[in-house]
Amino acid sequence: MTERLYIYDTTLRDGQQTQGVQFSLTEKQQIATALDALGVDYIEGGWPGANPTDSDFFDAAPKTRATFTAFGMTKRAGYSAENDDVLAGVMNAGTSAVCLVGKSHDFHVTTALGITLDENVENISATMAYMVKEGREALYDAEHFFDGYKANPDYALTCVKAAYDAGARWVVLCDTNGGTLPHEVYEITKAVIAAGIPGDHLGIHTHDDTGNAVACSLAAIDAGARQVQGTLNGLGERCGNANLVTLIPILLTKEPYASAYELGVNKDALAGLTRMSRQLDDILNRVPNKSSPFVGASAFAHKAGLHASAILKDPTTYEHIPPETVGNTRIVPMSNQAGQSNLRARLADAGIEVEKGDPRLGDILNRVKEREDQGYAYDGAQASFELVARDVLGQLPQFFEVKRYKVTVERRKNKRNQMISLSEAIVVVKIGDDKKLSVSESMDASGTDRGPVNALAKALAKDLGPYQAIIEDMQLVDFKVRITQGGTEAQTRVIIDSEDGAGHRWSTVGVSPNIVDASFEALLDAIIWKLLRDGAQAA
């Protein structure tokens, strides 16, 4: 018989503690909608009254299946719960559930709050009782609980028992500093249950300061906790919180969890996890971490020839789950270490079937190795590799021909006597018998120059005639530059990551002594690959 395990997301509150992260109202609404579609049980929206964005978000609270939750703190000493204006601000948000943080470490009570230990216990008890009396689902976040337990177990237990006895639905054990290790979390969670708080009323909230946030969360579940808190992509203060994008697929695909627990997230929703993770990165204007478990671009990448050969026979030889389970894809990168096993696997992924022993396989490998000697790198530019292979195989249509392009960068003073730069690009392409000239500047809506590569990208994609509808939703999401050789022989390698409206990403590479030429080559490959993938016909 399965037990219910509850997922509590705090991306919109604790995730916003990440350095450099500040969600807008629209972004909060987008993330809440995505979380609800995923199937989490609780969405913590923020701290009402703490800042204008959080207040506006609660004023226009989204309609969610998940329990929408406000965050705050227990009442202050010297105030009743009914008359504490800070607590009133949280209550006035009108959410059905309220999560309130309170101290459980004696050192923090006397040093940070400057009150007595008994006053702190009374604050916890009175606040939880008030929440329950007002008909709210009460959650107590026991801040610094694990450090507090190690310093003074009796007092830490007194705090959490006060919350539970006053009617708290959930008592959440917080490893606020992130220094507790999994075996300690397991033992202490067991001790809390033995002290009289049932596991189905216990939650776990961990931080990743030792790289153990997910492991500590699993340890608490193993010990009996039945609510787990975390954030998308592990956002959070310092090193982040437990990463739900890692934790959820573990709970759904790994034993004993998959058989023992029922989650609000089902396997159909799990198939959208990779896209959700990347959607958050897009909102934050961050490059996705390729090494992220389950959802990273390298999570199912197989570079060694021996591995690729085995993957062709049976993917389970080097994959712990099928990548499509989480909406990811398998990649067999090409590099000068590649053998024919890698090559055939990579071609098969691209829908290109070549018989084993076909001499053209050797031609493709030779082309790849020659170009890598020139500075190209195809293990991180799968789309460009596919174009190279199709060219060797005679399967690369010519959609258009670039006749010429020109880029200028001008430095001048504007009407305010400020020195500014302006980049302009001209691109001439031939599509069938038709020549098209496109001109574009790199100035954005705010009047800032985005540089010559931006101008080139805009000009190239401005008017491709019959192909325009296919490339309309393309955008450049990452741009990486590396100098591959030093001195007078220096070569510049540019790798561009592109994305379309459906969330598909692909990478292309260009190499030249000139950074603009290298960038243009990568841009050109990105457009050609998109046309090829979407079934465009050569003019």
Side-chain angles (χ1 to χ4, degrees):
M1 183 176 176
T2 59
E3 291 186 71
R4 187 67 162 88
L5 184 64
Y6 294 86
I7 305 295
Y8 184 108
D9 181 272
T10 180
T11 302
L12 299 178
R13 200 273 306 173
D14 225 4
Q16 193 165 252
Q17 303 305 310
T18 308
Q19 187 175 11
V21 170
Q22 185 65 48
F23 296 123
S24 68
L25 174 60
T26 300
E27 289 166 347
K28 281 202 163 207
Q29 291 168 335
Q30 289 174 340
I31 294 167
T33 299
L35 286 167
D36 200 42
L38 178 63
V40 302
D41 299 291
Y42 293 83
I43 299 173
E44 188 176 81
W47 189 324
N51 58 70
T53 301
D54 278 8
S55 297
D56 291 344
F57 183 52
F58 282 96
D59 287 343
K63 303 298 181 186
T64 60
R65 174 208 50 79
T67 301
F68 193 53
T69 308
F71 183 85
M73 67 180 185
T74 55
K75 80 169 189 71
R76 294 166 292 173
Y79 293 82
S80 67
E82 292 82 357
N83 294 320
D84 189 311
D85 58 329
V86 176
L87 184 57
V90 178
M91 290 292 289
N92 291 340
T95 57
S96 61
V98 178
C99 182
L100 299 174
V101 64
K103 303 296 185 185
S104 59
H105 187 176
D106 57 358
F107 169 73
H108 283 268
V109 173
T110 56
T111 303
L113 294 182
I115 61 176
T116 69
L117 300 184
D118 288 342
E119 284 177 317
N120 181 60
V121 173
E122 195 276 330
N123 288 345
I124 296 167
S125 179
T127 305
M128 293 298 113
Y130 175 60
M131 293 288 112
V132 174
K133 186 183 76 172
E134 292 297 312
R136 309 298 176 89
E137 181 178 343
L139 295 89
Y140 168 58
D141 257 13
E143 188 183 35
H144 296 287
F145 176 78
F146 291 95
D147 291 333
Y149 183 91
K150 286 184 276 187
N152 185 342
D154 289 341
Y155 185 72
L157 288 172
T158 296
C159 291
V160 294
K161 288 172 71 177
Y164 176 68
D165 291 342
R169 168 64 183 91
W170 292 104
V171 173
V172 183
L173 310 180
C174 301
D175 184 29
T176 309
N177 286 355
T180 309
L181 297 179
H183 72 279
E184 296 175 299
V185 169
Y186 177 85
E187 292 163 1
I188 294 171
T189 304
K190 277 285 193 185
V192 173
I193 294 172
I197 301 179
D200 60 4
H201 284 260
L202 275 184
I204 180 68
H205 178 112
T206 61
H207 285 258
D208 207 35
D209 296 73
T210 65
N212 281 292
V214 168
C216 286
S217 298
L218 293 172
I221 293 169
D222 292 342
R226 293 297 175 259
Q227 185 201 87
V228 60
Q229 299 194 355
T231 60
L232 293 178
N233 291 353
L235 291 182
E237 194 169 17
R238 303 184 313 275
C239 303
N241 290 39
N243 189 348
L244 291 181
V245 175
T246 300
L247 191 55
I248 288 172
I250 289 175
L251 295 171
L252 284 174
T253 67
K254 301 298 180 183
E255 297 298 346
Y257 309 105
S259 298
Y261 302 110
E262 176 190 348
L263 274 65
V265 182
N266 60 40
K267 292 192 175 181
D268 288 338
L270 186 64
L273 193 64
T274 297
R275 184 172 183 183
M276 173 183 279
S277 171
R278 293 175 185 175
Q279 178 189 3
L280 179 61
D281 285 325
D282 285 344
I283 288 172
L284 297 175
N285 197 26
R286 289 183 166 190
V287 178
N289 181 359
K290 290 187 175 183
S291 299
S292 291
F294 294 99
V295 300
S298 298
F300 299 94
H302 308 279
K303 187 170 181 178
L306 179 64
H307 291 199
S309 177
I311 284 287
L312 277 174
K313 297 170 185 173
D314 187 337
T316 62
T317 52
Y318 286 98
E319 289 178 351
H320 66 111
I321 63 167
E324 55 271 17
T325 303
V326 291
N328 209 338
T329 55
R330 179 180 301 115
I331 294 176
V332 182
M334 291 309 303
S335 72
N336 59 16
Q337 301 177 32
Q340 290 201 6
S341 296
N342 289 56
L343 178 56
R344 291 183 63 240
R346 181 64 188 93
L347 293 174
D349 284 344
I352 305 170
E353 296 297 331
V354 182
E355 293 295 325
K356 186 176 182 180
D358 189 315
R360 294 178 300 173
L361 292 171
D363 294 339
I364 294 171
L365 283 176
N366 288 336
R367 177 80 67 87
V368 168
K369 291 173 182 178
E370 287 170 6
R371 289 173 71 83
E372 290 202 337
D373 285 343
Q374 298 166 19
Y376 291 85
Y378 290 108
D379 58 342
Q382 302 302 310
S384 286
F385 158 73
E386 184 181 333
L387 298 183
V388 169
R390 287 186 180 276
D391 186 42
V392 172
L393 295 170
Q395 298 179 13
L396 185 62
Q398 186 174 42
F399 299 109
F400 58 89
E401 179 186 1
V402 177
K403 303 300 290 184
R404 67 182 179 91
Y405 71 86
K406 181 172 72 173
V407 182
T408 60
V409 179
E410 180 185 5
R411 289 283 289 170
R412 58 180 171 82
K413 288 191 174 182
N414 63 12
K415 60 185 179 182
R416 300 183 184 87
N417 204 35
Q418 298 169 322
M419 187 62 73
I420 62 169
S421 62
L422 177 65
S423 302
E424 184 179 72
I426 300 172
V427 177
V428 178
V429 298
K430 185 178 181 182
I431 305 173
D433 295 325
D434 188 18
K435 277 190 179 180
K436 294 181 177 292
L437 182 148
S438 297
V439 180
S440 186
E441 293 181 345
S442 62
M443 200 73 74
D444 65 14
S446 67
T448 303
D449 178 44
R450 292 300 178 185
V453 175
N454 177 269
L456 261 180
K458 289 166 68 175
L460 181 60
K462 193 170 187 178
D463 185 7
L464 283 181
Y467 308 122
Q468 195 62 33
I470 295 176
I471 67 168
E472 203 69 56
D473 64 344
M474 274 184 63
Q475 60 174 332
L476 188 155
V477 293
D478 193 23
F479 178 86
K480 297 183 283 289
V481 178
R482 183 173 179 181
I483 305 302
T484 62
Q485 301 173 32
T488 57
E489 302 297 320
Q491 288 278 79
T492 302
R493 178 196 300 148
V494 171
I495 293 181
I496 286 175
D497 290 347
S498 302
E499 184 180 66
D500 64 15
H504 299 124
R505 288 186 181 233
W506 62 100
S507 300
T508 51
V509 62
V511 171
S512 170
N514 184 315
I515 188 173
V516 175
D517 284 337
S519 302
F520 189 77
E521 182 182 11
L523 288 168
L524 198 58
D525 272 10
I527 288 177
I528 292 171
W529 187 86
K530 175 77 157 70
L531 296 176
L532 193 65
R533 192 203 65 190
D534 287 4
Q537 299 298 310

